[in-house]
Amino acid sequence: MVLDAPALNSDQLERLAANVRRRLEEIGDPAIRIPVLEDYRVECHTSRNPDDYFYYDLAVDIDIGSTVITLHRRKEPRPCYGAVDVDALARSIVMHVLLAKSDRMAITALTAAQSAVRAKIKRDGSSLAILSVRYEPEEITTPKILSGRRIWVDVGLLDNLLHPTTETVTSGSIREICGHLRRLGDKHRERLATLERITPYAGVLELDGLAEHAIAAVGRDVGEIAKAMLAAEPVEPALEVVLSRDEDIGHFGVRVRDGRIVFEAHLGHCWIDREGLLGVRQGFPDTMLVAIAGRRLGDLIDHPMLAADAQIAAVVRASEDFTEFRLLTHSRAIDLME
């Protein structure tokens, strides 16, 4: 997210870029790409703590092994303007560069990480776009060598709303990063498949049959629900629209998952999750489990919010006090005019 009001104004950014360029030109190392003004950017990150702070980072990319240097950090609801020592910022940037440039082992390790990441994507047959493989940012006040930093991989993929987005995978372990990339690749593949299915119908999202029944049961409009979904931030988990909530009856809602509006229900003794799994707090004899598979949902649970014609496809898990079934429903493309 680019801030409307950056932590440094445009004049300060231009002075900073010119100051850094002059200092690096004096060093004259051909292996260091001197950053231009466009390499300096302000980003906003939300912290995951009860205070809900926003971190405003002014960052710059300098190619010395694809690292990113954080120049300025604020921990406030809004960025504040004040006396910014541009010369001190420039000196710190150059010190970061020189320390990182001297860390040959770390640059070699990053090169190996880049090769491993691209090989993983190729092996998986994933269409994920690897935008960058770099070391995590460092604070301006503490110039350090690269060794010991976590690796950041920026990946281009589709989000839950089937819009292009960028996601950052970070870890100190190449194996962990590759594991994250495999999971992201699976999500991206599923979202691409959904996009390909709905494109011929000029659809914006796909609608699961369970969700369609529930929306109709409360008299809501599918197009209205889709507009609310598309207007939301495509975070994980994506926006939920509550259809009905009652402490005695239960909770029913729909949300976007991988380009599809899916249904969720929470009753006292059973629930349906976004994966289309039905959980029941009850055990069944084996003979009854065999008979249930292939039957209608309405044969097991009768509720106006639940699509009675949905098929119970298979038993997923079973124990003395809990049983989980996979439900099979249809899906279709929807547009905003419904």
Side-chain angles (χ1 to χ4, degrees):
M1 181 187 300
V2 177
L3 298 178
D4 294 328
L8 273 72
N9 61 39
S10 58
D11 289 341
Q12 290 171 325
L13 279 176
E14 289 180 7
R15 284 172 46 209
L16 180 64
N19 202 330
V20 171
R21 180 178 65 249
R22 177 178 57 80
R23 292 171 183 271
L24 291 179
E25 285 176 346
E26 290 174 354
I27 294 172
D29 188 335
I32 298 175
R33 183 187 67 82
I34 297 176
V36 297
L37 184 60
E38 290 72 21
D39 292 317
Y40 296 80
R41 65 191 186 282
V42 178
E43 298 175 340
C44 176
H45 311 280
T46 305
S47 67
R48 296 184 181 277
N49 61 48
D51 297 321
D52 197 28
Y53 280 124
F54 289 100
Y55 290 79
Y56 295 93
D57 294 348
L58 176 61
V60 58
D61 287 330
I62 302 178
D63 292 341
I64 45 171
S66 299
T67 189
V68 175
I69 297 169
T70 300
L71 306 179
H72 206 68
R73 171 166 286 181
R74 304 274 187 188
K75 238 184 182 181
E76 303 174 12
R78 297 180 181 275
C80 63
Y81 295 93
V84 177
D85 190 337
V86 174
D87 288 340
L89 285 176
R91 288 194 299 271
S92 292
I93 294 171
V94 173
M95 182 60 72
H96 272 289
V97 170
L98 294 179
L99 284 173
K101 180 67 172 57
S102 67
D103 195 351
R104 298 183 182 277
M105 289 183 62
I107 292 178
T108 299
L110 188 64
T111 301
Q114 291 169 339
S115 299
V117 163
R118 299 188 188 282
K120 174 63 175 175
I121 296 298
K122 185 176 181 179
R123 286 196 306 273
D124 290 346
S126 171
S127 57
L128 289 175
I130 302 300
L131 305 178
S132 67
V133 181
R134 53 196 169 121
Y135 282 109
E136 67 180 346
E138 270 295 347
E139 295 281 354
I140 179 64
T141 54
T142 54
K144 297 177 182 177
I145 61 175
L146 298 174
S147 296
R149 297 191 203 178
R150 294 162 66 87
I151 291 175
W152 283 23
V153 180
D154 285 335
V155 182
L157 72 163
L158 295 181
D159 62 24
N160 267 316
L161 300 175
L162 305 182
H163 297 157
T165 190
T166 301
E167 189 161 336
T168 300
V169 176
T170 179
S171 175
S173 163
I174 299 300
R175 174 174 288 186
E176 286 184 5
I177 287 176
C178 288
H180 289 312
L181 291 176
R182 178 183 56 77
R183 289 185 286 274
L184 282 181
D186 291 342
K187 283 181 175 290
H188 183 55
R189 190 178 294 110
E190 184 172 349
R191 292 166 184 174
L192 278 175
T194 301
L195 184 62
E196 290 173 0
R197 286 195 300 270
I198 68 175
T199 296
Y201 303 97
V204 293
L205 291 169
E206 207 167 47
L207 178 65
D208 178 76
L210 291 169
E212 184 168 15
H213 176 90
I215 291 170
V218 295
R220 297 285 292 273
D221 182 76
V222 169
E224 168 210 349
I225 297 289
K227 287 177 183 177
M229 298 291 190
L230 293 168
E233 287 288 333
V235 296
E236 295 284 356
L239 171 72
E240 179 189 19
V241 173
V242 176
L243 300 177
S244 175
R245 177 181 284 136
D246 187 285
E247 291 183 3
D248 297 324
I249 300 175
H251 169 79
F252 305 90
V254 292
R255 68 171 68 239
V256 175
R257 177 181 178 272
D258 297 330
R260 179 181 301 171
I261 299 179
V262 296
F263 179 60
E264 289 185 329
H266 298 277
L267 296 166
H269 68 291
C270 67
W271 60 92
I272 297 175
D273 67 16
R274 71 190 74 170
E275 305 277 351
L277 295 176
L278 166 67
V280 182
R281 290 191 179 93
Q282 180 181 343
F284 296 91
D286 292 342
T287 53
M288 190 172 181
L289 288 177
V290 173
I292 290 175
R295 300 288 295 275
R296 299 162 61 253
L297 175 59
D299 295 334
L300 184 62
I301 302 172
D302 182 22
H303 193 284
M305 292 289 287
L306 304 183
D309 291 337
Q311 183 182 7
I312 301 173
V315 178
V316 179
R317 287 186 296 166
S319 66
E320 293 182 357
D321 54 4
F322 170 77
T323 311
E324 188 174 59
F325 303 91
R326 179 166 298 282
L327 299 177
L328 183 62
T329 65
H330 69 280
S331 296
R332 67 176 182 88
I334 60 170
D335 58 45
L336 298 180
M337 301 305 294
E338 296 194 30

